[in-house]
Amino acid sequence: MTRYIQRHSLLTRVTHGVGAITCILLAVTGLFVFWPELGGSIMGGEFTNTMRMLHRIIAIPYIVVPLIAIIMSPGGFKHLFAEDIFGKWDKDDYTWASKFPLYLFFPSKIHMPPQHHVKSAQRLADGALLFFCIIMAVTGLILWLQTGLLPGGGMKVEFSADTLLWARLLHDIFFVLTVIVGIAHIYLGAGIFEPYKGTARIMFGDGKVSESDALYHWGYWANEELTTGKNVTVEKD
């Protein structure tokens, strides 16, 4: 028998899943928008136009689903920013962050201090990724509205040349940053990094984490959950 702690709700997992999938698809289609010659040299101009259209279609759930999640759970949204991203750091948080670079290469030899619901360095990475995604959504929407939100130019909004210049520049810059940080996020979150093996279940499964994994990765949070027992279940091995 193994004890599990429910770490993430269904709404959180669905929102994260949609965000992850659409972000990857937007990166792929956006590459051909960012570098039109790539699509033209491989498949011709029609292929590039198709990628541009798909880019806009995929952007809809990328923007809409998180907004729906915020409306459905404003408390969860508040907790995300107040605790998970901008939560106050303690001594163990600073120690964990300082040891993380070595931990990536020598996880079995580096002793890491216990952490709260979200690890200190993870707060920085998640906060940066969320910020990048918001900038991408806002600037992308500006560029989309300039040509018409609907097919045929419907719901077109005129912006100044400076606004469009900054929108394109920021969209391109944060596209690159999102890809870089996103790859690192996938490397850790998907369980490729040895200490995180099996933890992909947390976001892409039932949202549960085993007692042993919870204590290893988020010691303070795990002990709080185990003490209250509210989100703890027991399952057969």
Side-chain angles (χ1 to χ4, degrees), residues 43-51:
M43 302 291 289
E46 188 62 31
F47 178 78
T48 299
N49 290 332
T50 300
M51 288 296 103

Side-chain angles (χ1 to χ4, degrees), residues 155-195:
M155 293 185 67
K156 184 177 180 178
V157 179
E158 294 293 341
F159 294 97
S160 67
D162 286 342
T163 298
L164 293 175
L165 176 64
W166 277 106
R168 290 192 184 96
L169 180 62
L170 291 174
H171 200 72
D172 291 347
I173 290 173
F174 284 96
F175 165 76
V176 175
L177 292 175
T178 301
V179 169
I180 294 173
V181 177
I183 290 174
H185 185 78
I186 292 171
Y187 174 67
L188 295 174
I192 300 172
F193 180 46
E194 178 59 37

Side-chain angles (χ1 to χ4, degrees), residues 79-87 89 118 123-124 126-128 130:
H79 183 273
L80 171 67
F81 277 90
E83 300 296 333
D84 291 349
I85 293 180
F86 293 108
W89 286 33
V118 178
R123 294 179 201 168
L124 295 176
D126 289 355
L130 182 60

Side-chain angles (χ1 to χ4, degrees), residues 36-229:
E37 294 79 7
L38 178 63
S41 62
I42 296 176
M43 302 291 289
E46 188 62 31
F47 178 78
T48 299
N49 290 332
T50 300
M51 288 296 103
R52 183 176 288 107
M53 183 57 65
L54 286 174
H55 193 72
R56 295 179 177 183
I57 294 173
I58 296 167
I60 295 173
Y62 173 80
I63 295 173
V64 172
V65 171
L67 292 177
I68 293 174
I70 292 172
I71 294 172
M72 292 180 63
S73 180
F77 178 69
K78 180 180 178 180
H79 183 273
L80 171 67
F81 277 90
E83 300 296 333
D84 291 349
I85 293 180
F86 293 108
K88 185 177 180 180
W89 286 33
D90 57 23
K91 181 180 178 181
D92 286 333
D93 287 323
Y94 287 105
T95 301
W96 199 97
S98 66
K99 289 185 174 182
F100 183 68
L102 283 176
Y103 179 64
L104 276 174
F105 296 98
F106 310 103
S108 62
K109 299 182 181 299
I110 304 298
H111 174 71
M112 303 295 275
Q115 289 285 272
H116 299 281
H117 184 256
V118 178
K119 298 174 182 179
S120 56
Q122 184 184 349
R123 294 179 201 168
L124 295 176
D126 289 355
L129 191 58
L130 182 60
F131 175 71
F132 297 166
C133 288
I134 291 173
I135 295 297
M136 291 281 287
V138 172
T139 55
L141 191 57
I142 290 173
L143 296 173
W144 189 359
L145 285 169
Q146 173 66 20
T147 60
L149 189 64
L150 301 177
M155 293 185 67
K156 184 177 180 178
V157 179
E158 294 293 341
F159 294 97
S160 67
D162 286 342
T163 298
L164 293 175
L165 176 64
W166 277 106
R168 290 192 184 96
L169 180 62
L170 291 174
H171 200 72
D172 291 347
I173 290 173
F174 284 96
F175 165 76
V176 175
L177 292 175
T178 301
V179 169
I180 294 173
V181 177
I183 290 174
H185 185 78
I186 292 171
Y187 174 67
L188 295 174
I192 300 172
F193 180 46
E194 178 59 37
Y196 291 86
K197 288 289 185 182
T199 54
R201 164 185 184 172
I202 300 174
M203 275 298 189
F204 292 97
D206 56 12
K208 297 178 181 179
V209 59
S210 67
E211 178 182 0
S212 58
D213 281 342
L215 288 169
Y216 176 79
H217 292 291
W218 308 279
Y220 289 130
W221 169 78
N223 281 319
E224 290 174 2
E225 292 292 338
L226 292 169
T227 299
T228 63

